[in-house]
């Protein structure tokens, strides 16, 4: 996070790619090393996700084919570089949306528990376990890294979603 001289954070928002953008269907490449550009990308992804009121964002959603995901379900940001799901169990079925599919939602069944490994911005490996919303978010975002969108898994049809902010 960068602050200017007045203490106000400079936000670098990226354009979120929308459903028909072919980049959303491509497989992302692993991150080999953390560079200044990688750090800037992660910061921009967090800013973009928060600005769009999302709980997760994957690099291809902002046009970058790298295996990077950011998630925040309300407990603070999680940065996942080169993430992999190690284990899943149980199931949950619920409504899911995506910043790349604005105004729509669908019913998707995901694991209720997920264990994943990833790297942080210092390229230290860590594991993370999540249930319910965090498990859903991890599965959803990691899907983006392989060109997989939640709409590929919707049970029934997509529903229109009205965002309260759209009415302001």
């Amino acid at each position: 996070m960068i602050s200017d001289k007045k203490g106000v954070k400079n936000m670098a928002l990226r354009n979120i790619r929308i459903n028909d953008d072919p980049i959303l269907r491509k497989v992302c490449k692993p991150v080999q090393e953390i560079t200044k550009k990688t750090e800037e990308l992660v910061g921009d992804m967090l800013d973009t996700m928060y600005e769009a009121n999302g709980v997760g964002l994957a690099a291809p959603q902002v046009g970058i084919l790298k295996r990077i995901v950011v998630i925040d379900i309300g407990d603070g940001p999680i940065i996942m570089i080169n993430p992999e799901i190690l284990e899943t169990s149980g199931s949950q079925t619920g409504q899911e949306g995506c910043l790349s599919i604005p105004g729509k939602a669908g019913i998707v069944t995901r694991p209720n528990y997920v264990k994943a490994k990833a790297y942080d911005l210092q390229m230290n490996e860590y594991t993370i376990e999540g249930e319910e919303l965090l498990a859903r978010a991890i599965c959803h975002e990691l899907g983006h890294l392989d060109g997989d969108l939640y709409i590929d898994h919707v049970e029934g049809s997509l529903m229109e979603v009205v965002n309260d902010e759209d009415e302001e």
Side-chain angles (χ1 to χ4, degrees):
M1 309 287 173
I2 302 168
S3 294
D4 65 17
K5 293 179 181 109
K6 297 175 190 130
V8 176
K9 185 176 76 159
N10 294 320
M11 290 186 32
L13 299 179
R14 305 251 181 154
N15 289 327
I16 296 174
R17 302 298 181 97
I18 304 302
N19 187 12
D20 292 335
D21 192 316
I23 201 164
L24 294 172
R25 293 300 187 168
K26 295 188 184 299
V27 175
C28 296
K29 293 179 172 64
V31 174
Q32 300 299 326
E33 65 176 333
I34 301 298
T35 63
K36 188 82 175 138
K37 280 183 86 164
T38 308
E39 292 173 356
E40 285 178 18
L41 171 62
V42 168
D44 291 354
M45 286 173 63
L46 286 166
D47 288 342
T48 302
M49 176 186 71
Y50 291 131
E51 181 68 17
N53 296 313
V55 297
L57 190 69
Q61 290 181 273
V62 293
I64 307 295
L65 288 172
K66 294 286 186 180
R67 299 190 80 79
I68 301 172
V69 163
V70 297
I71 295 171
D72 190 342
I73 62 163
D75 301 327
I78 299 166
I79 297 164
M80 302 179 82
I81 313 256
N82 298 336
E84 291 177 47
I85 292 176
L86 302 174
E87 185 182 324
T88 65
S89 66
S91 71
Q92 59 172 313
T93 301
Q95 187 170 305
E96 205 165 302
C98 181
L99 296 176
S100 290
I101 320 278
K104 303 281 187 191
I107 302 299
V108 178
T109 298
R110 299 271 191 194
N112 197 54
Y113 165 85
V114 171
K115 180 178 182 180
K117 76 171 184 175
Y119 295 86
D120 64 18
L121 274 175
Q122 289 72 46
M123 287 305 272
N124 297 312
E125 185 177 313
Y126 70 93
T127 58
I128 184 170
E129 296 178 87
E131 294 181 316
E132 300 173 351
L133 180 57
L134 182 54
R136 179 177 294 280
I138 290 170
C139 291
H140 177 114
E141 298 309 328
L142 271 57
H144 278 293
L145 303 180
D146 292 315
D148 184 52
L149 301 178
Y150 89 97
I151 56 175
D152 302 331
H153 307 282
V154 168
E155 299 165 20
S157 55
L158 288 175
M159 302 169 271
E160 297 288 329
V161 176
V162 178
N163 185 343
D164 292 340
E165 293 180 3
D166 292 342
E167 298 171 5
E168 290 178 352

